[in-house]
């Protein structure tokens, strides 16, 4: 593992690039991208995976097992100056985190960009990023939670990404199918092992569409910005963590009131992790599954719930930006194309 030495881009085209100047995020109408940028390359032993921290900080020991997992598979792991930096609840300044993200995507020796953790802060990077340029790199981007905003931006530009475990995710032990899903996904193989549990039917039916989405809170945060997720004819993945029951209601209601989720072809709900424990005794509570059924159950859109993804104790690695078939009646989703070339 080695640290990247930052340098400015020379006329000869060195791999590191300037940060963009601060630009408005949300002041312009979204552009519509309809043509794919290309797919990431399937990873193979010897490839380099850059470990970055675009959101909150963490100590090195929280990434040790994740790094070892990759190195045991023959991958090389590259660290950046802000990988273990800390500035309050952020892994360094916005400029530092954005610079590392840009450098990783434009490094010709890097094949994948792997997030150390989520937390908070990825949205603060958006004004600094040349998102078109990042998408054109066709690097494999891996993570979930707060980095949902980066997934959305890259997917909207035609680059598929991987909504999957981060380095911190592998700190505790996981079920064997969790590792199998992750390692198969980064090689462009089937990311849903037979041993993985199915979801439960919320609304029966079948649907075909491109899978998009991620953390519910971040999906809602993107509404009204240039990177707002267009859910039309998509299979929408939703999950979240540490939100009170009434806040899950509020966020789903926001998707309904914005006329967003009604346009979906199908809905896949993972887990609202630790939500039922977040009861606000001043107003009362409902189980989060009842809230989801109340808010989404009447849409007549094929939907499943309890699908293993995101902040759940055990999670699948799910490609975003490629097509899949959803069979809500059987609680299954099957990808019909590969994440990688």
């Amino acid at each position: 593992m080695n640290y990247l030495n930052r340098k400015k881009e020379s006329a000869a085209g060195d791999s590191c690039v300037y940060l963009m100047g601060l630009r408005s995020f949300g002041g312009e109408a979204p552009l519509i991208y309809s043509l794919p940028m290309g797919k990431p390359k399937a990873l193979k032993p010897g490839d380099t995976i850059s470990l970055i921290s675009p959101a909150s900080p963490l100590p090195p020991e929280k990434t040790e097992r994740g790094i070892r997992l990759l190195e045991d598979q023959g991958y090389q792991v590259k660290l950046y100056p802000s990988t273990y930096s800390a500035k309050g609840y952020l892994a360094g300044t916005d400029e530092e985190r954005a610079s590392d993200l840009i450098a990783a995507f434009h490094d010709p020796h890097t094949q994948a960009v792997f997030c150390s953790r989520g937390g908070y802060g990825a949205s603060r990077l958006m004004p600094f990023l040349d998102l078109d340029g990042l998408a054109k790199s066709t690097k494999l981007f891996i993570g979930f939670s707060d980095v949902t905003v980066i997934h959305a931006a890259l997917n909207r530009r035609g680059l598929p990404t991987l909504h999957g475990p981060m380095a911190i995710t592998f700190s505790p032990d996981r079920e064997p199918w969790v590792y199998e899903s992750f390692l198969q996904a980064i090689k462009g193989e089937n990311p849903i092992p037979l041993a993985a549990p199915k979801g439960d039917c919320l609304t029966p039916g079948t649907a075909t569409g491109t899978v998009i989405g991620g953390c519910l809170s971040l999906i809602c945060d993107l509404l009204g910005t240039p990177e707002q997720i267009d859910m039309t004819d998509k299979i929408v993945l939703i999950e979240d963590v540490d939100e009170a029951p009434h806040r899950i209601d509020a966020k789903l209601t926001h998707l309904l009131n914005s006329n967003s989720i009604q346009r979906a072809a199908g809905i896949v709900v993972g887990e609202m992790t630790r939500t039922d424990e977040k009861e606000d005794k001043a107003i009362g509570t409902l189980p989060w599954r009842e809230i989801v059924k109340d808010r989404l159950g009447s849409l007549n859109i094929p939907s499943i719930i309890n699908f293993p993804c995101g902040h759940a104790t055990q999670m699948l690695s799910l490609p975003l930006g490629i097509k899949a078939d959803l069979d809500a009646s059987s609680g299954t989703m099957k990808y019909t194309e590969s994440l990688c070339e």
Side-chain angles (χ1 to χ4, degrees), residues 155 210-214 229-231 234-238 319-321:
N155 294 162
T210 299
V211 182
I212 51 90
I229 296 175
D230 179 7
M231 300 183 182
K234 306 295 197 307
I235 295 175
V236 181
L237 175 67
I238 294 173
L320 302 175

Side-chain angles (χ1 to χ4, degrees), residues 299-316:
L299 294 179
N300 198 31
I301 296 173
S303 304
I304 61 176
I305 194 170
N306 299 323
F307 199 65
C309 63
H311 294 87
T313 304
Q314 312 297 339
M315 73 294 293
L316 289 167

